[in-house]
Amino acid sequence: EALATLGERFLRLRPELPGHGLGLASVRAVMQLHGGSMRLEPARPGLRVALRHKLQQQGEKPIFQTGELSVDLVKRIVRLGEQEVKLSPKEYDILRILVQHAGKVLTHRQLLLAVWGPTFIEHNHYLRIYMGHLRQKLETDPTLPRYLLTETGIGYRYLPES
């Protein structure tokens, strides 16, 4: 019951990021505080199909494409041209959020909450490190990024090709 309440509260606060930001450690801590037990269920068959339909209902395409970059939001595959780019889970999560909000500035706090959860919202250095990794993998010249831009003192923006 406590977990359901926490999940509902989170979705009300951040409807654009369903299920993200609540790491397993956070969920366990909440359950322990309320004397509950953890019950983990296996992934349901057809989960990718359900996710694809949900994205389409929200007006989002399951594959984000701009220029050479392609991000499959269902299969979690990133490509530059025909070449698949291997990203860590955190790198992928940061990129996914940025491309889903392409052109908009996302604050350090928004990205940290969505990727690492509420206990890490003061750890801006995590983002600097992972953005550096993403630029190394995705930008032609990581020292002069064209797509993964820093908004000094605010956060980051993914600028799609015009």
Side-chain angles (χ1 to χ4, degrees), residues 16-161:
E16 77 279 10
L17 303 172
H20 293 280
L22 291 177
L24 186 57
S26 300
V27 172
R28 281 192 177 126
V30 169
M31 295 301 291
Q32 287 174 352
L33 282 174
H34 293 282
S37 63
M38 286 297 295
R39 187 181 64 194
L40 299 176
E41 297 178 11
R44 296 185 322 247
L47 192 57
R48 283 188 179 165
V49 172
L51 177 58
R52 186 172 54 246
H53 289 298
K54 183 171 176 67
L55 288 170
Q56 288 169 340
Q57 287 172 353
Q58 293 172 349
E60 294 185 45
K61 296 179 180 176
I63 297 178
F64 174 87
Q65 177 87 39
T66 180
E68 290 283 306
L69 180 69
S70 169
V71 182
D72 187 320
L73 299 171
V74 176
K75 296 179 183 174
R76 297 178 64 97
I77 296 172
V78 177
R79 294 184 188 282
L80 264 180
E82 296 298 315
Q83 187 73 28
E84 186 173 336
V85 180
K86 296 293 183 190
L87 299 180
S88 74
K90 296 291 186 198
E91 290 168 346
Y92 175 82
D93 287 342
I94 293 168
L95 181 63
R96 177 186 51 79
I97 293 165
L98 287 169
V99 300
Q100 284 178 322
H101 297 90
K104 298 178 185 172
V105 176
L106 295 176
T107 66
H108 297 117
R109 185 180 182 96
Q110 286 173 312
L111 288 166
L112 287 164
L113 180 62
V115 176
W116 281 277
T119 57
F120 292 89
I121 57 175
E122 300 300 324
H123 297 266
N124 290 353
H125 60 283
Y126 283 20
L127 279 175
R128 279 193 300 275
I129 293 166
Y130 280 91
M131 287 302 290
H133 294 175
L134 280 170
R135 287 178 176 141
Q136 290 289 325
K137 294 176 180 184
L138 300 175
E139 294 279 3
T140 305
D141 182 357
T143 61
L144 295 170
R146 293 178 50 203
Y147 309 110
L148 298 169
L149 304 180
T150 300
E151 299 295 335
T152 307
I154 301 169
Y156 296 94
R157 170 194 323 250
Y158 178 81
L159 192 63
E161 286 187 359

